[in-house]
Amino acid sequence: MWLEILLASVLGFVIYWFISRDKEETLPLEDGWWGPGARPTAGEDESIRPFKVETSDEEIIDLHRRIEKVRLTSPLEDSRFHYGFNSNYLKKILSYWRNEFNWKKQVEVLNRYPHFKTKIEGLDVHFIHVKPPQLPAGRTPKPLLMVHGWPGSFFEFYNIIPFLTDPKNHGLSDEHIFEVICPSIPGYGYSEASSKKGLNSVVTARIFYKLMLRLGFQEFYVQGGDWGSLICTNMAQLVPSHVKGLHVNMALILRNFYPLTLFLGRPFRGLFGYTERDVELLYPLKEKMFYSIMRESGYMHIQSTKPDTVGCALNDSPVGLAVYILEKFSTWTNAEFRDLEDGGLERKFSLDDLLTNVMIYWTTGTITSSQRFYKENMGQGFMAEKHYRMKVHVPTAFAAFPCELLHTPEKWVKFKYPKLISYSYMARGGHFAAFEEPELLARDICKFVGLLERQ
């Protein structure tokens, strides 16, 4: 009997090793057309056009009118943020939004960096392109593509950009100076939404790769969290020879043996490669994994199945849109914020910054198209696409922020990203890393690039 068990274990290990060994596969690059109707026979206009964010008195008057007509439901006693966004605190936000928030001023803030649009695969793709204000003699900046997620936007990167493009004047070494490109995912903000089904993370990665080529970059660094981490990962799987380095602060790594070790990882952490910090971030397992997933994934089920239904309601009500988005900036920043009457929103963000992100969705009417990205990526089944089963063979760095929705240990990351050269336990911060802790994230990006370039 024991011999049979031993032989079965050895056979299982051999099979596991065979199917999990590093295969340097790449995704096919392909092509597509996502604009309305059939693809024109004439070639696509590849010009890059300057763009400015604009607003009008009519837009602001309409917003104020809708806020004034809001109908709220009283919260349960002592419910805080356990039932979702607390409407008592919401009254404060709505008062500020209606009476103090200055959208015209925030439009000027948005236009602080240069905006552009260009047609790629039938869609007008929006991006900001920020070059260093000054460069030491003989130096050239390193191109860095930074990709946002949901319910964020390119605006998440506004506070990190100075650390990357002008590090010396912001307390960092000028060993690494970047020029930063932040596009909007198609269907988000100022990027045109697809007219056709199927525009997923792989397609978006291809579109952004074409954008970087159009800007004249044959090699570049990429960084992302949330959907941005998946898009950047896909880009490394599509065109690994063009991606010099990949930095992510989130990773979905479920197709391997390691998640099964969670049940034994606490008493046998050394056996499975878990550090003391991993144990702190993963356990108690029931609370930090299972209950957390149940609490925070309801939106995902809706958006992965019928995004247009809830989208109709959110696109018609600025208040509904705001609470749907801002709730994520509470509990995704720190799960314990659900115990606070105000959801802890103003502990890490200003109301101006939070409402500016909401306004990008509201004024462009893109909440529905942004939610469709879940349907396109998960509508065929969770992690059903080929790229989830593929490894990434470009130099990689991972920043593990302690309040991220799910902690990903280094062993797990290295399974998916065999060329992991930097794994950092970050001192603080949650899901919206660039927005919440821009200096910490900038320092980790620079550390990674330094390690890579010294190899």
Side-chain angles (χ1 to χ4, degrees), residues 275-389:
T275 66
E276 286 187 23
R277 185 60 174 147
D278 290 330
V279 171
E280 290 172 4
L281 296 171
L282 287 169
Y283 298 91
L285 194 61
K286 188 184 292 185
E287 169 60 31
K288 293 198 175 179
M289 293 289 285
F290 301 118
Y291 289 168
S292 175
I293 290 172
M294 288 297 294
R295 274 195 304 266
E296 299 301 334
S297 64
Y299 81 99
M300 187 186 299
H301 296 287
I302 294 172
Q303 294 173 194
S304 298
T305 53
K306 299 179 180 180
D308 286 29
T309 302
V310 67
C312 287
L314 300 177
N315 199 45
D316 190 57
S317 167
V319 177
L321 177 68
V323 297
Y324 195 74
I325 289 176
L326 295 183
E327 181 228 304
K328 308 307 178 195
F329 283 88
S330 166
T331 52
W332 290 7
T333 298
N334 189 322
E336 294 180 0
F337 284 176
R338 69 182 183 276
D339 294 327
L340 304 174
E341 293 290 340
D342 62 357
L345 272 174
E346 295 174 74
R347 293 192 176 196
K348 290 298 186 82
F349 311 107
S350 71
L351 288 183
D352 278 347
D353 282 351
L354 291 169
L355 290 172
T356 296
N357 183 64
V358 171
M359 288 294 287
I360 290 170
Y361 282 90
W362 174 252
T363 57
T364 58
T366 52
I367 187 61
T368 303
S369 52
S370 75
Q371 293 174 155
R372 288 174 183 159
F373 205 62
Y374 285 81
K375 175 79 168 176
E376 304 299 2
N377 284 287
M378 298 180 175
Q380 305 304 313
F382 183 62
M383 302 188 81
E385 300 291 336
K386 179 184 177 182
H387 63 83
Y388 287 113
R389 301 187 293 275

Side-chain angles (χ1 to χ4, degrees), residues 429-450:
H431 185 71
F432 303 98
F435 204 34
E436 180 190 351
E437 295 290 349
E439 183 176 350
L440 281 183
L441 183 60
R443 288 184 181 277
D444 200 66
I445 293 169
C446 292
K447 182 184 84 169
F448 164 57
V449 172

Side-chain angles (χ1 to χ4, degrees), residues 2-72:
W2 288 109
L3 180 60
E4 291 171 345
I5 292 173
L6 178 62
L7 289 173
S9 300
V10 171
L11 179 61
F13 175 79
V14 170
I15 293 171
Y16 171 74
W17 174 85
F18 181 79
I19 63 174
S20 66
R21 60 183 176 165
D22 295 350
K23 299 175 183 176
E24 296 212 13
E25 295 179 276
T26 58
L27 290 171
L29 195 56
E30 298 179 341
D31 198 8
W33 176 262
W34 307 97
R39 186 172 200 154
T41 54
E44 193 162 61
D45 176 11
E46 296 188 355
S47 63
I48 296 172
R49 312 180 313 276
F51 170 77
K52 283 191 73 174
V53 180
E54 296 179 341
T55 187
S56 65
D57 290 337
E58 291 75 18
E59 186 173 70
I60 296 170
I61 290 168
D62 176 65
L63 170 71
H64 290 171
R65 179 183 61 81
R66 291 170 185 259
I67 293 174
E68 289 164 359
K69 290 183 175 293
V70 67
R71 296 190 307 170
L72 298 180

Side-chain angles (χ1 to χ4, degrees), residues 111-372:
N111 287 324
R112 184 172 73 217
Y113 296 132
H115 293 246
F116 303 90
K117 286 190 176 185
T118 188
K119 281 279 186 185
I120 304 176
E121 297 193 14
L123 300 178
D124 244 354
V125 176
H126 161 262
F127 62 99
I128 59 172
H129 185 178
V130 187
K131 298 181 180 181
Q134 54 191 14
L135 272 171
R139 299 275 299 278
T140 56
K142 308 175 199 303
L144 172 63
L145 177 77
M146 304 189 77
V147 185
H148 66 88
W150 187 93
S153 64
F154 67 94
F155 181 61
E156 289 179 69
F157 301 115
Y158 267 49
N159 290 334
I160 196 175
I161 286 173
F163 291 106
L164 298 168
T165 59
D166 191 17
K168 196 167 187 179
N169 286 323
H170 291 84
L172 274 65
S173 164
D174 65 354
E175 180 184 1
H176 305 291
I177 302 176
F178 300 88
E179 61 178 294
V180 179
I181 299 92
C182 303
S184 296
I185 298 171
Y188 286 66
Y190 304 107
S191 275
E192 185 178 358
S194 174
S195 295
K196 296 172 172 61
K197 296 184 290 185
L199 194 150
N200 59 16
S201 62
V202 176
V203 171
T204 305
R206 183 179 70 225
I207 287 173
F208 290 170
Y209 163 62
K210 291 180 178 180
L211 170 64
M212 294 302 280
L213 291 184
R214 194 168 293 181
L215 292 172
F217 303 119
Q218 289 295 322
E219 289 187 314
F220 45 87
Y221 293 96
V222 295
Q223 199 285 327
D226 196 84
W227 282 128
S229 69
L230 182 58
I231 292 166
C232 292
T233 293
N234 292 158
M235 193 178 298
Q237 293 168 323
L238 284 165
V239 288
S241 62
H242 294 266
V243 177
K244 291 186 71 173
L246 165 67
H247 187 289
V248 292
N249 51 279
M250 184 180 179
L252 280 174
I253 304 169
L254 299 179
R255 285 185 172 271
N256 65 57
F257 163 76
Y258 287 111
L260 299 177
T261 68
L262 285 170
F263 300 99
L264 295 172
R266 197 168 199 172
F268 302 106
R269 66 177 181 84
L271 178 64
F272 297 118
Y274 294 152
T275 66
E276 286 187 23
R277 185 60 174 147
D278 290 330
V279 171
E280 290 172 4
L281 296 171
L282 287 169
Y283 298 91
L285 194 61
K286 188 184 292 185
E287 169 60 31
K288 293 198 175 179
M289 293 289 285
F290 301 118
Y291 289 168
S292 175
I293 290 172
M294 288 297 294
R295 274 195 304 266
E296 299 301 334
S297 64
Y299 81 99
M300 187 186 299
H301 296 287
I302 294 172
Q303 294 173 194
S304 298
T305 53
K306 299 179 180 180
D308 286 29
T309 302
V310 67
C312 287
L314 300 177
N315 199 45
D316 190 57
S317 167
V319 177
L321 177 68
V323 297
Y324 195 74
I325 289 176
L326 295 183
E327 181 228 304
K328 308 307 178 195
F329 283 88
S330 166
T331 52
W332 290 7
T333 298
N334 189 322
E336 294 180 0
F337 284 176
R338 69 182 183 276
D339 294 327
L340 304 174
E341 293 290 340
D342 62 357
L345 272 174
E346 295 174 74
R347 293 192 176 196
K348 290 298 186 82
F349 311 107
S350 71
L351 288 183
D352 278 347
D353 282 351
L354 291 169
L355 290 172
T356 296
N357 183 64
V358 171
M359 288 294 287
I360 290 170
Y361 282 90
W362 174 252
T363 57
T364 58
T366 52
I367 187 61
T368 303
S369 52
S370 75
Q371 293 174 155
R372 288 174 183 159

